[in-house]
Amino acid sequence: MWKAWLVSLTILALIGAVAVGLGPFLVSTTPLPGLEPARAAATPASRFLVIPFEGTDGVEVHYLAGTTPPGPAVPNFLLLHGFTLNAFTWDELLGFFDGQGHVIAYDQVPYGLSAKLTRLDWAEASPYTREAAVDQLFATMDALGLAQAILVGNSAGGSLALEAALARPERVTALILVSPWVYAQRPTLPPSLADLPQTERLSLFLARRLGQSTALLRRSYADPSRLSDERLALAGVHARVANWDLAWGHLLHQSLTDVVSVSARLPEITQPALVITGDQDRLVPLADTQQAAAALPLSELVVLPGCGHVAHEECPGQVADAVADWLAGLQTTFGSVHVGEFRDAN
């Protein structure tokens, strides 16, 4: 009898191994049909520009802008969204920052309405590495004529802001970080596993599921009932754009070996930083944000009651008040907030 059981278990194990090995190949790499160019999905507020990126013919970036023009008398604010989100996440605060200076919110590649690059679109380094995201940030600033900016980042946009401040500190005047993704880590794999074709197809499968779901955004709110249908539609605007699924698949696949390591270098950041978090954040624990704020040499921490991971969306009034108070304090302590004198003052 035991031999029969052993044979049965062996057969089941073989079937399982075949399923694991061959199952991912059932995921089609044909892009989802019936989708449109990014400009067809644009809103009246949408603007586009093309930035250079080595190995491509240029990368189209979608952005939103306030009405205050750039100039030597006003600070520049560059707003950076989090994982899976886009520039529209800042809609509730765009007017506030417009009242403080010149403001730009852009879609990081391949999110929102920015370029959906596939393997046929680049010849050299992937446009989806963390280093590439930093390069694209400064290329966007260059295209918009911004010599310096205060970087405002939520979640993964916060870690991008920190990496940019380390890479080119002379161009980053200050930091405003909303629940920055610093210590939490994504699952990663050794290159030998990440490079398997099965893994790449699984990344595509997960990208399609993630990009067509509202679950992550709902979890980002302390009270998901605050999410409007309009907000959900704007958060999912990428899913109207041709090749979004392939592009997101490439991004997720890249992330399997692209570790977020900025936490080790936080003490090197000399720019003033405002760190904001909601006390109901279910994605980045409050303790992580407190730790990040403590590691930054010139930081102030504000904890907002009743707010989740995207406090700038869910509690925009509270965020605006915190930012306004902090900016006023910066002007009192350092003078003008747009001339990049903070490092010299210390």
Side-chain angles (χ1 to χ4, degrees), residues 76-333:
N76 299 312
F77 296 94
L78 189 65
L79 312 186
L80 308 171
H81 61 79
F83 178 60
T84 77
L85 298 178
N86 55 50
F88 295 115
T89 189
W90 298 105
D91 275 357
E92 294 298 322
L93 283 178
L94 205 66
F96 164 76
F97 282 109
D98 192 31
Q100 304 292 321
H102 176 63
V103 59
I104 297 292
Y106 77 97
D107 293 342
Q108 298 154 42
V109 179
Y111 296 119
L113 300 178
S114 284
K116 307 291 182 277
L117 301 172
T118 69
R119 284 284 172 78
L120 298 177
D121 297 317
W122 73 85
E124 299 178 25
S126 167
Y128 299 131
T129 65
R130 300 194 66 78
E131 292 81 5
V134 172
D135 290 342
Q136 291 158 16
L137 183 156
F138 288 117
T140 299
M141 287 179 60
D142 291 341
L144 293 167
L146 307 181
Q148 294 179 320
I150 297 174
L151 301 185
V152 185
N154 165 239
S155 194
S159 59
L160 175 59
L162 291 165
E163 289 164 345
L166 288 164
R168 303 192 66 178
E170 75 282 359
R171 300 197 64 178
V172 179
T173 309
L175 299 164
I176 300 173
L177 310 172
V178 182
S179 294
W181 185 277
V182 176
Y183 296 103
Q185 287 293 334
R186 303 181 297 253
T188 56
L189 295 174
S192 58
L193 290 179
D195 291 341
L196 291 174
Q198 294 96 321
T199 307
E200 190 162 7
R201 298 229 183 182
L202 284 174
S203 296
L204 177 56
F205 172 78
L206 292 173
R208 286 170 174 158
R209 294 291 298 271
L210 187 63
Q212 294 173 321
S213 170
T214 63
L216 185 60
L217 182 56
R218 292 182 186 278
R219 186 167 176 77
S220 298
Y221 273 63
D223 180 2
S225 69
R226 294 170 177 165
L227 272 165
S228 67
D229 290 341
E230 179 183 13
R231 175 71 203 108
L232 290 169
L234 288 172
V237 70
H238 59 270
R240 295 172 53 187
V241 181
N243 289 331
W244 77 265
D245 56 327
L246 300 187
W248 277 42
H250 293 320
L251 176 70
L252 289 188
H253 187 245
Q254 178 65 51
S255 73
L256 292 174
T257 54
D258 218 352
V259 178
V260 180
S261 58
V262 72
S263 59
R265 298 187 63 192
L266 294 186
E268 301 174 34
I269 294 176
T270 58
Q271 293 89 343
L274 173 63
V275 183
I276 300 173
T277 185
D279 68 352
Q280 302 299 311
D281 191 333
R282 292 183 286 174
L283 297 183
V284 173
L286 175 59
D288 283 7
T289 304
Q290 291 171 325
Q291 183 180 357
L296 291 165
L298 289 174
S299 71
E300 177 180 330
L301 174 66
V302 176
V303 180
L304 303 179
C307 304
H309 185 62
V310 288
H312 59 289
E313 284 192 28
E314 189 175 15
C315 309
Q318 293 183 63
V319 172
D321 288 344
V323 172
D325 290 345
W326 182 73
L327 289 174
L330 283 188
Q331 292 175 351
T332 299
T333 304

Side-chain angles (χ1 to χ4, degrees), residues 15-97:
I15 292 173
V18 170
V20 170
L22 299 181
F25 289 108
L26 298 177
V27 178
S28 172
T29 57
T30 302
L32 296 175
L35 303 179
E36 56 192 353
R39 289 176 182 260
T43 71
S46 293
R47 303 184 186 186
F48 293 87
L49 57 82
V50 176
I51 61 172
F53 187 78
E54 190 173 1
T56 74
D57 295 329
V59 176
E60 188 167 70
V61 171
H62 169 259
Y63 71 100
L64 308 172
T67 59
T68 301
V74 297
N76 299 312
F77 296 94
L78 189 65
L79 312 186
L80 308 171
H81 61 79
F83 178 60
T84 77
L85 298 178
N86 55 50
F88 295 115
T89 189
W90 298 105
D91 275 357
E92 294 298 322
L93 283 178
L94 205 66
F96 164 76
F97 282 109

